[in-house]
Amino acid sequence: MATVEPGVARHYDIAGLEQRILAALAETGVDIAHLRAGDLEAVDEFHIGGIAATRELLGQMGLKPGARLLDIGSGVGGPARFAANNAGADVTGIDLTQSYVDIATSLSKRTGMAEKTRFVQGSALDMPFANASFDAAMILHVGMNLSDKKKLMSEAARVLKPGGVFAVYDVMRLKAGALTYPVPWASNETMSFVATPDDYRSAATACGFSVVAERQRGAFAVEFFAAIRARMAAAQAEGKKPAPGVGLVMGEDARTKIANITAALEGGILAPVELLLRLG
Ligand SMILES: C[S@@+](CC[C@H](N)C(=O)[O-])C[C@H]1O[C@@H](n2cnc3c(N)ncnc32)[C@H](O)[C@@H]1O
């Protein structure tokens, strides 16, 4: 295991997270005993733009029903469940953080999706899968924790079948400028490896991918966080608890993490970028 990985896993590991998610949903009237995947969508999509971003990324992948899809850095499983439900994919998720793998597995079981989604613990940089074992792969907001983009791309190229699509949706650096920590993916700079779209493209093409499409989503990201702030302010003004959202998976310092990433997005230093790659 590369040396930064234990620290990264600790950064994401939040005590009692599954129970917190379930309790927060129950408070809003969700029937936890009969959970549906859609009930989780505000809290199990751990990336900018939530379910809307996953839908848009997936929409570009052209998956056929039954396609074997790999979700690299699958978190608590929201994007994997969405892909299984909406594109009919058979999804395998891999994630570094054992507690996320356990929560993803449990939430899939609770939502009757254990057959279509499975989750394993492991590193994106050394995946326990055979060569050419997936039709497609996706990675959402994980590359910022990966020190070696070339290794990510070579591993993705290795496990994909020829012609396979790899959809990337990561926070990337658009210009120079200091970041203030913590941010949602890193407690401090030792675990943050934000790279430019150019870095991703060169790593990808060096590993046999061609770039099919690319889209910067800076304005979308700024709007996403503005909407979260507006919801929180409205709830506060009414003396209510804000509805559960992605902040739940960010832990106690969620507000600081959101403020710091918002500053970098508004300053044009960072933006989420979609890159659609095809092997060969
Ligand atoms: C911001 S979350 C995104 C989770 C998920 N992709 C989503 O969009 O809901 C980043 C995830 O990357 C995982 N991660 C970080 N470094 C990793 C690595 N080297 N290999 C696999 N997963 C990793 C973390 O454990 C965490 O679950």
Side-chain angles (χ1 to χ4, degrees):
M1 191 186 263
T3 49
V4 295
E5 292 186 348
V8 170
R10 271 195 303 278
H11 166 80
Y12 284 107
D13 190 28
I14 291 171
L17 181 59
E18 183 177 4
Q19 290 318 313
R20 287 189 207 203
I21 289 175
L22 296 175
L25 292 176
E27 270 183 40
T28 67
V30 170
D31 179 1
I32 297 305
H34 303 96
L35 206 57
R36 292 163 305 145
D39 294 329
L40 291 163
E41 69 181 42
V43 293
D44 70 356
E45 300 272 346
F46 191 176
H47 52 260
I48 297 169
I51 195 92
T54 306
R55 184 180 290 113
E56 292 200 25
L57 192 70
L58 210 64
Q60 298 170 61
M61 293 178 71
L63 295 177
K64 298 205 174 81
R68 296 205 62 205
L69 171 66
L70 174 63
D71 184 10
I72 301 175
S74 42
V76 296
R81 281 183 291 275
F82 185 84
N85 275 333
N86 292 274
D90 176 73
V91 192
T92 298
I94 180 168
D95 200 281
L96 186 66
T97 307
Q98 181 68 57
S99 59
Y100 279 16
V101 171
D102 296 341
I103 295 171
T105 304
S106 168
L107 293 177
S108 276
K109 199 167 160 206
R110 285 174 181 274
T111 52
M113 297 200 57
E115 302 272 288
K116 295 176 176 175
T117 56
R118 67 207 63 80
F119 300 93
V120 299
Q121 193 279 333
S123 171
L125 303 180
D126 183 16
M127 296 193 281
F129 305 120
N131 294 354
S133 47
F134 294 97
D135 300 304
M138 61 183 184
I139 184 167
L140 292 91
H141 283 42
V142 180
M144 304 89 77
N145 287 127
L146 306 180
S147 55
D148 188 345
K149 304 295 183 280
K150 185 110 180 269
K151 190 76 175 91
L152 163 68
M153 293 296 171
S154 68
E155 273 296 87
R158 182 182 68 73
V159 301
L160 277 175
K161 294 178 187 162
V165 165
F166 182 26
V168 177
Y169 177 58
D170 272 348
V171 176
M172 301 189 193
R173 180 177 280 283
L174 302 189
K175 66 176 190 190
L179 302 182
T180 304
Y181 295 90
V183 284
W185 62 89
S187 311
N188 56 58
E189 63 185 7
T190 64
M191 57 186 78
S192 183
F193 305 95
V194 180
T196 64
D198 200 34
D199 293 330
Y200 275 79
R201 261 184 263 112
S202 8
T205 50
C207 296
F209 286 105
S210 50
V211 179
V212 178
E214 178 171 343
R215 180 162 70 142
Q216 276 182 30
R217 309 232 60 205
F220 169 74
V222 169
E223 278 167 30
F224 174 73
F225 285 116
I228 291 182
R229 283 198 305 276
R231 274 201 306 275
M232 287 171 116
Q236 201 169 11
E238 291 172 27
K240 292 184 187 159
K241 242 180 155 179
V246 67
L248 206 61
V249 277
M250 290 187 208
E252 300 303 329
D253 54 358
R255 274 172 193 270
T256 313
K257 288 171 175 164
I258 289 174
N260 289 340
I261 186 172
T262 300
L265 293 167
E266 289 181 350
I269 296 170
L270 301 181
V273 177
E274 293 171 347
L275 261 187
L276 202 68
L277 307 170
R278 188 178 300 279
L279 191 59

